[in-house]
Amino acid sequence: MDASQTVLLTGNLTYIAPFAKAVYEAGLNPVELPVMQLTKTAEPADLTGALKTYGIENMVYSRAGNAEKFLELMDEENTPLLKSQIVHFVMDVQSFKLLNDAGLPVLQSPGDRSIDMVEFFLRLNRTGPVLTPCVDPESEEIPEFLSELKYESRYLRMYELSPYPKEALEEMRARFYGGAFPADYVLLHEPGALTQFLVAFPDAELSRYTFIPLHNKTEARLRHLGLRSTGVLPWHADKPGNLTSALRELMARG
């Protein structure tokens, strides 16, 4: 395997598949390395409690995976609230279809970025409390933007990301340090992926990698740590070809 043409993708494989496809279509070798596991942390009663306690009027979903997991929390008690009192906001077609098919009032932001969603809120004069169903709050930019604008914004953590059990993690580390995953590039598909990588492989020779961030927050942290970066590359679930094109241009430049 040519490490100079190989891109390592870390994190939880639930979210990595579309990024791996973009890497492959760019003519590169995607190598998937699952460094975290998902544990369910919310039940329908937790969603119902959040809706009633905080008087939620808006819900925001940053990715289709979160919208899909959210649907698992709908039950007979909270479904009437979700359908009659709350507007659901998404940024991609797949999320729109999932929620619309469930009978929820859903609107899709016309823009590709989290800040576009916030501007969409402003144009619609949505000012009520916002709830964001999430897995990793570190990867959610929208609540941070809303907070800066004095919106009341809260998270509902549906699943928790955690390292694998000690024995499995040690085996994975031994394979990684032994050269089982040769790559010169590491794609960070969300801000939390950098933390996950550093926790999973604390003795990794970071200077050998060029990191590919897809978020400004990730790029800022890479600069702070003095790690080599390509700069932020574009990603949107409805426009995966943009990342493919950017990767091709990156490799063409050498």
Side-chain angles (χ1 to χ4, degrees):
M1 183 180 296
D2 182 359
S4 67
Q5 294 291 308
T6 298
V7 180
L8 190 66
L9 298 101
T10 67
N12 183 274
L13 297 187
T14 301
Y15 297 130
I16 286 177
F19 305 97
K21 182 179 179 183
V23 171
Y24 177 79
E25 291 181 346
L28 305 172
N29 304 314
V31 174
E32 300 180 1
L33 179 58
V35 299
M36 305 292 280
Q37 62 180 347
L38 282 175
T39 304
K40 189 173 183 180
T41 58
E43 299 295 338
D46 297 306
L47 171 59
T48 303
L51 296 178
K52 293 181 176 180
T53 300
Y54 305 121
I56 299 300
E57 297 180 15
N58 310 283
M59 294 188 68
V60 174
Y61 307 80
S62 63
R63 59 170 69 98
N66 286 357
E68 185 174 11
K69 287 178 173 55
F70 160 77
L71 293 178
E72 299 172 3
L73 301 179
M74 291 180 61
D75 67 4
E76 292 182 359
E77 183 174 0
N78 59 44
T79 293
L81 287 172
L82 294 166
K83 290 185 175 181
S84 64
Q85 299 182 25
I86 296 169
V87 179
H88 303 257
F89 291 85
V90 301
M91 292 192 293
D92 63 276
V93 170
Q94 186 178 352
S95 296
F96 181 92
K97 188 175 188 307
L98 284 168
L99 299 182
N100 186 63
D101 288 351
L104 301 176
V106 55
L107 296 173
Q108 182 179 349
S109 167
D112 295 349
R113 304 165 301 165
S114 298
I115 193 64
D116 296 327
M117 174 71 83
V118 175
E119 292 177 355
F120 192 41
F121 262 84
L122 292 174
R123 289 201 301 273
L124 295 176
N125 293 315
R126 301 298 299 183
T127 57
V130 180
L131 185 67
T132 303
C134 68
V135 173
D136 181 9
E138 187 179 350
S139 70
E140 305 285 350
E141 295 180 318
I142 293 174
E144 182 178 338
F145 291 143
L146 292 174
S147 177
E148 292 175 357
L149 293 170
K150 308 306 180 184
Y151 279 79
E152 184 181 354
S153 179
R154 299 181 183 274
Y155 297 107
L156 175 66
R157 187 192 286 268
M158 301 178 293
Y159 282 74
E160 185 175 52
L161 282 168
S162 61
Y164 283 96
K166 183 178 179 181
E167 184 176 333
L169 186 57
E170 288 179 349
E171 180 181 348
M172 190 181 305
R173 283 173 175 166
R175 294 183 61 215
F176 178 82
Y177 294 138
F181 301 93
D184 284 353
Y185 295 89
V186 179
L187 189 145
L188 302 170
H189 64 291
E190 61 185 14
L194 179 56
T195 298
Q196 295 163 19
F197 183 78
L198 296 176
V199 168
F201 309 111
D203 298 322
E205 188 181 344
L206 299 178
S207 60
R208 65 165 294 182
Y209 297 108
T210 297
F211 291 89
I212 305 172
L214 304 187
H215 297 81
N216 290 326
K217 185 186 293 186
T218 311
E219 169 66 4
R221 190 169 180 210
L222 289 169
R223 288 199 305 269
H224 176 73
L225 295 173
L227 299 176
R228 187 165 59 247
S229 166
T230 62
V232 179
L233 297 193
W235 169 259
H236 188 270
D238 291 342
K239 301 176 182 179
N242 289 350
L243 176 58
T244 298
S245 297
L247 287 168
R248 285 176 180 156
E249 292 175 8
L250 176 67
M251 296 302 155
R253 294 197 304 266

